[in-house]
Amino acid sequence: MKGGRSILRGSVQYLKGVGPRRAERFAKLDVHTGRDLLYHLPYRYEDATTVDAISELKVGQDATVIGRVVSKGVIPTRRRLRVFRAVLRDDSGHIECAWPGRPWLDRTIDKGDLLLASGPVRFYHGRQLQPREHIVLSRASDERGASGDKSAERSAPSGERGERPAAGRVFPVYPATEGLTHRQIRAVIHLNLASLLSDLGDEDPLPGGWLEDLSLPPLAEALRTLHRPPAVSRVEPCRRRLAFEELFFLQLLHARARARLRHEVRGVAFDAPRTLTRSLLEALPFELTAAQRRAWSEIEADMARPSPMNRLLQGDVGSGKTVVAALAMLKAVEAGRQAAIMAPTELLAEQHRRTFEKMLGPLGLEPELLTGAVTGKARRQALERIAAGDARLIVGTHALIQEGVDFAAPGLVVIDEQHRFGVEQRRRLRESGEAPDALVMSATPIPRSLALVLYGDLDLSIIDELPPGRRPIRTAVRGPESRDAAFVFLGDQLAQGRQAYVIYPLVEESETLEARAATVMFEQLQARFPDIAVRLLHGRLSSAEKDEAMRSFLAGDTSLLVATTVIEVGIDVPNATVMIIEDAERFGLAQLHQLRGRVGRGAEQSYCIVFHASETPSERLVAFEKKTDGFELAEEDLRIRGQGDLFGKEQHGAVLLRFAQLDRDFDLLETGRRRARAIVEGDPGLSKPAHRRFRHELDLRYARREALYHVG
Ligand code: ADP
Ligand code: MG
């Protein structure tokens, strides 16, 4: 840009080799400014030092080759599949490469181009490479000095012009998008890297002292190396540098949200004498486990502070979160406030009501129920009691946070099964009334690292221990050949008066398909067990029908429930002892673990039988059979699937972490979190001169993303 304006801040459009059309495409990659381009880093590298000599390729091998295209063309096959083929030659020999179903490559790959291709070597009339990936390293047309097909590219030198694929040459592969290939991105970055870096100068959002402590390189050096590494081995320390930066600023964002809530919003200090909480502890027929005691004392201390609590209580199914939540609710009530617990469904709300009635009845407390099903006069009266403050303990669904519900003296809100509640509800809750304390309960254990990233603005209490005397659920992972034996076993349990579930996976492509699979099984089982009450529950049923089926199972009128995963997450049927899961590969580990948690809630030995459709069970199922601890499984899941998958598409997490890898960077995460909290503690507004650059960097990073990630 002219006039000395920063090209880092300017639109990517004005950079060399871009222009308005390409700028639009860059926008799809979330690259809008020069700075974004600088941070648009390769996700992978091809390393010419690991290139295989074509003559030495063996069938079955996964290979990377570099060669010239000596001939090419599209060949139709019998099955109407059009295959693009190209013969590559290097100094040692030649090989045919085939791209089935990708005839359009004929327009982008030319005779004479230098190609890097990697993929499996198959046998098809001789050796054939089927590239998973390929990069055009240099164009025959560029080398001849002819103009490229697009004006923007014409000015772009190929970067590799005339170069032989020398040892040690590393090719970055950039995230690309439709109409913008990684080769084009590479060329654009090549053209602009020097000026972007010189504009950056030695600017660095992190203090030099920190970098030395952690042995991480300065920003400019890290970016330069990541775009043009002299060797792949130089990449990792630079990735860690960016990972740390990312984790630190994310934790700083979290810490500020947390501080804002603590310092700027007034809450209630619950510090009345322990009348009710003590009575409950005395009345319980058991001792709290050490983990429950720890969680309770964290919550109690937090509630006693004048700032609003905002805490996540994590614990495996059956770890005894409900008692801890009840204690927290009583602490609010003994201080003269109201406490509400909000469940994701009516059924679960009713279940909570029964639990609380049993647990708290002896203390003379009766919970008030408010769900969508409470209507007419009963609803009016409930609303009146809530508004007058006569109802102290309220159990409900999100009906609790709708218009017209007026709490006389809100003190604490417990949110059960947080993962079914969106960010939006969390915010709405905080806005309602004068910042009541909030305790979010989750029965989906996630690794601590992931919790810190996703919910870093919350404080965390973990119950990582089950009450003593639980019989572990026996888990068996089996192939289809064991199906009959499993059903014999199931019949045996049913004959003893037990209840059981048979679960079918949700078929994403088609609810109809999924309903059909479950229906077929339902009919088979009905025929097999004529004396047993079997019911079917799937997504195609109306919500009234689903509710009815669930209630019938809950009441014990139905013994066998054939269901798709629409079954309630937290539902408790102590008499259910068998969980059979069909086609288990379709489930994630967390889901499988949730399902298994539906049994083993009573005195009898419980069983979980899991069927895999494939020849051998997946790594995930093997882990599931071996481990029963939800937190261990969650770590395993993170390892097997990788974090990208765990965040899911709709989660904001995927946007938040581009460089950090939670399984590898836990040390950086902890350090970043510690530093962020310490800074915000002493300077919540980040207004000290030394912290101004942090605030500036937060704006740069999250201004656009604030909408995705709520703050405070
Ligand atoms: P969660 O909500 O974490 O899944 P619950 O709170 O429903 O677990 O507890 C499961 C069962 O364990 C309940 O029947 C509860 O009464 C019982 N329980 C809770 N804490 C203890 C304990 N410390 N010792 C024995 N039993 C307990
Ligand atoms: Mg529960």
Side-chain angles (χ1 to χ4, degrees):
M1 290 279 299
K2 291 181 205 88
R5 261 198 59 198
S6 150
I7 58 167
L8 282 175
R9 264 177 291 145
S11 164
V12 73
Q13 175 180 342
Y14 305 112
L15 295 179
K16 282 183 220 148
V18 185
R21 285 258 315 278
R22 279 198 174 168
E24 273 171 37
R25 291 176 181 158
F26 268 118
K28 280 196 250 160
L29 294 167
D30 212 12
V31 172
H32 308 275
T33 64
R35 186 178 201 275
D36 294 338
L37 185 69
L38 199 50
Y39 272 85
H40 190 71
L41 292 162
Y43 66 98
R44 205 162 56 72
Y45 299 89
E46 292 288 0
D47 185 351
T49 57
T50 63
V51 160
D52 302 287
I54 287 177
S55 64
E56 281 162 26
L57 297 185
K58 302 264 182 314
V59 172
Q61 173 190 358
D62 207 81
T64 300
V65 302
I66 294 181
R68 292 257 170 220
V69 178
V70 292
S71 67
K72 63 150 197 170
V74 173
I75 296 142
T77 62
R78 259 174 292 141
R79 292 183 296 129
R80 280 205 286 159
L81 182 71
R82 281 152 50 86
V83 182
F84 173 68
R85 290 184 201 176
V87 174
L88 294 191
R89 185 201 301 281
D90 71 3
D91 293 343
S92 71
H94 54 82
I95 189 167
E96 183 181 81
C97 297
W99 287 263
R102 301 178 67 188
W104 60 85
L105 287 176
D106 198 27
R107 291 196 299 275
T108 59
I109 294 177
D110 284 326
K111 206 169 143 184
D113 286 354
L114 186 66
L115 227 63
L116 180 149
S118 62
V121 180
R122 302 247 156 86
F123 187 82
Y124 187 85
H125 308 303
R127 297 172 314 159
Q128 186 185 66
L129 184 76
Q130 293 197 356
R132 249 190 327 272
E133 307 259 11
H134 70 273
I135 312 176
V136 179
L137 297 178
S138 76
R139 288 272 183 220
S141 54
D142 291 347
E143 285 173 21
R144 284 193 304 268
S147 63
D149 46 358
K150 292 195 189 77
S151 61
E153 274 172 67
R154 204 175 301 143
S155 60
S158 76
E160 289 81 33
R161 183 184 312 212
E163 273 177 11
R164 294 273 154 266
R169 189 89 171 77
V170 179
F171 301 99
V173 185
Y174 289 95
T177 186
E178 215 183 306
L180 193 59
T181 64
H182 41 221
R183 196 181 74 88
Q184 292 165 333
I185 295 173
R186 199 150 51 92
V188 167
I189 287 177
H190 180 76
L191 279 172
N192 294 285
L193 187 60
S195 44
L196 287 169
L197 284 173
S198 102
D199 206 15
L200 184 70
D202 55 7
E203 214 180 281
D204 197 317
L206 297 176
W210 291 17
L211 297 175
E212 272 164 39
D213 285 354
L214 295 161
S215 329
L216 295 173
L219 180 60
E221 186 189 322
L223 289 171
R224 184 193 325 268
T225 307
L226 287 169
H227 283 296
R228 325 212 68 197
V232 169
S233 60
R234 299 280 292 278
V235 164
E236 177 60 8
C238 298
R239 183 200 65 79
R240 268 173 67 82
R241 140 82 215 204
L242 289 182
F244 178 69
E245 191 177 306
E246 172 172 83
L247 291 167
F248 167 71
F249 283 105
L250 183 58
Q251 292 302 320
L252 193 62
L253 187 75
H254 283 322
R256 284 191 84 197
R258 177 172 175 268
R260 218 172 286 167
L261 196 73
R262 288 189 168 251
H263 298 302
E264 293 170 16
V265 185
R266 273 209 64 77
V268 189
F270 299 94
D271 47 9
R274 299 176 169 119
T275 48
L276 294 169
T277 44
R278 181 162 300 155
S279 306
L280 175 59
L281 286 172
E282 280 163 11
L284 285 177
F286 47 73
E287 297 280 315
L288 294 188
T289 61
Q292 282 171 315
R293 277 205 305 277
R294 191 182 54 227
W296 168 229
S297 70
E298 286 164 3
I299 292 168
E300 197 176 28
D302 208 356
M303 287 183 73
R305 279 194 277 272
S307 50
M309 173 169 77
N310 201 17
R311 184 171 286 273
L312 179 64
L313 176 62
Q314 272 215 323
D316 225 329
V317 257
S319 62
K321 294 182 293 296
T322 316
V323 186
V324 174
L327 282 165
M329 291 174 80
L330 291 185
K331 188 166 182 70
V333 172
E334 69 195 5
R337 293 285 178 147
Q338 290 167 300
I341 181 164
M342 192 156 86
T345 67
E346 285 175 11
L347 224 58
L348 287 173
E350 287 168 28
Q351 182 175 291
H352 275 317
R353 199 224 348 215
R354 280 193 299 277
T355 308
F356 284 131
E357 263 169 2
K358 250 195 282 172
M359 199 183 327
L360 307 177
L363 308 184
L365 282 164
E366 194 176 333
E368 182 81 50
L369 182 73
L370 186 69
T371 67
V374 179
T375 55
K377 186 164 169 225
R379 181 179 194 86
R380 243 185 1 261
Q381 286 174 341
L383 289 175
E384 269 167 30
R385 282 192 293 267
I386 293 171
D390 296 336
R392 326 279 338 167
L393 277 172
I394 301 113
V395 179
T397 53
H398 33 268
L400 284 178
I401 50 168
Q402 272 153 15
E403 284 301 303
V405 187
D406 220 0
F407 289 84
L412 171 73
V413 186
V414 179
I415 305 165
D416 194 9
E417 304 299 356
Q418 136 282 324
H419 57 283
R420 307 261 300 260
F421 276 95
V423 164
E424 178 56 17
Q425 275 101 332
R426 252 170 74 191
R427 199 178 52 72
R428 283 253 297 284
L429 251 179
R430 286 188 211 159
E431 277 172 2
S432 72
E434 35 148 355
D437 280 10
L439 182 66
V440 178
M441 295 203 288
S442 169
T444 309
I446 55 174
R448 185 177 153 79
S449 55
L450 199 60
L452 293 186
V453 167
L454 289 178
Y455 312 116
D457 56 334
L458 303 179
D459 290 295
L460 193 58
S461 287
I462 292 177
I463 306 184
D464 52 3
E465 173 186 4
L466 291 182
R470 283 283 161 79
R471 287 202 211 185
I473 299 163
R474 291 207 193 136
T475 304
V477 173
R478 295 285 183 266
E481 73 286 350
S482 305
R483 179 175 305 268
D484 210 58
F487 287 130
V488 170
F489 176 77
L490 170 66
D492 191 48
Q493 289 279 307
L494 290 169
Q496 290 176 41
R498 305 281 104 78
Q499 287 168 278
Y501 303 88
V502 177
I503 303 293
Y504 264 85
L506 272 156
V507 180
E508 259 179 42
E509 315 83 65
S510 155
E511 240 184 18
T512 317
L513 215 67
E514 148 210 333
R516 200 182 309 141
T519 307
V520 168
M521 178 49 76
F522 166 70
E523 282 162 4
Q524 280 177 14
L525 288 170
Q526 219 172 19
R528 184 169 190 139
F529 306 117
D531 306 330
I532 296 288
V534 190
R535 292 205 54 158
L536 178 62
L537 178 61
H538 59 66
R540 295 303 291 267
L541 299 178
S542 72
S543 47
E545 285 169 312
K546 282 187 227 167
D547 198 61
E548 221 281 298
M550 215 47 241
R551 280 175 200 281
S552 161
F553 189 75
L554 214 59
D557 297 333
T558 292
S559 296
L560 180 57
L561 193 64
V562 179
T564 54
T565 41
V566 292
I567 66 161
E568 308 277 347
V569 173
I571 217 75
D572 254 355
V573 180
N575 188 43
T577 56
V578 183
M579 167 64 65
I580 295 181
I581 304 173
E582 295 278 355
D583 215 352
E585 274 104 344
R586 285 179 178 264
F587 291 101
L589 260 179
Q591 252 183 322
L592 288 171
H593 184 64
Q594 272 292 338
L595 287 169
R596 177 164 59 185
R598 296 303 104 229
V599 297
R601 309 193 63 93
E604 303 297 330
Q605 175 65 53
S606 286
Y607 307 85
C608 179
I609 305 169
V610 163
F611 286 113
H612 55 91
S614 53
E615 197 81 343
T616 51
S618 62
E619 199 180 353
R620 192 192 308 164
L621 293 184
V622 170
F624 181 66
E625 187 171 35
K626 276 206 300 259
K627 295 192 159 112
T628 52
D629 181 283
F631 286 100
E632 280 177 31
L633 278 173
E635 295 284 354
E636 195 71 18
D637 208 19
L638 178 61
R639 192 185 61 73
I640 296 172
R641 285 205 288 163
Q643 65 195 33
D645 232 37
L646 280 185
F647 284 134
K649 283 196 183 66
E650 72 277 62
Q651 294 273 27
H652 48 272
V655 199
L656 292 177
L657 291 193
R658 296 170 57 207
F659 309 113
Q661 284 166 11
L662 293 178
D663 48 348
R664 267 200 255 168
D665 300 329
F666 194 63
D667 58 325
L668 299 179
L669 174 58
E670 290 282 9
T671 308
R673 178 175 165 90
R674 230 184 10 257
R675 296 222 152 127
R677 285 203 164 188
I679 286 169
V680 167
E681 201 106 323
D683 181 18
L686 300 181
S687 43
K688 289 186 184 160
H691 297 157
R692 239 176 257 150
R693 67 168 133 183
F694 292 149
R695 201 169 66 193
H696 175 65
E697 183 73 15
L698 277 183
D699 288 344
L700 279 177
R701 281 175 177 262
Y702 300 111
R704 264 205 316 275
R705 303 198 166 121
E706 206 116 352
L708 277 165
Y709 179 71
H710 82 287
V711 181

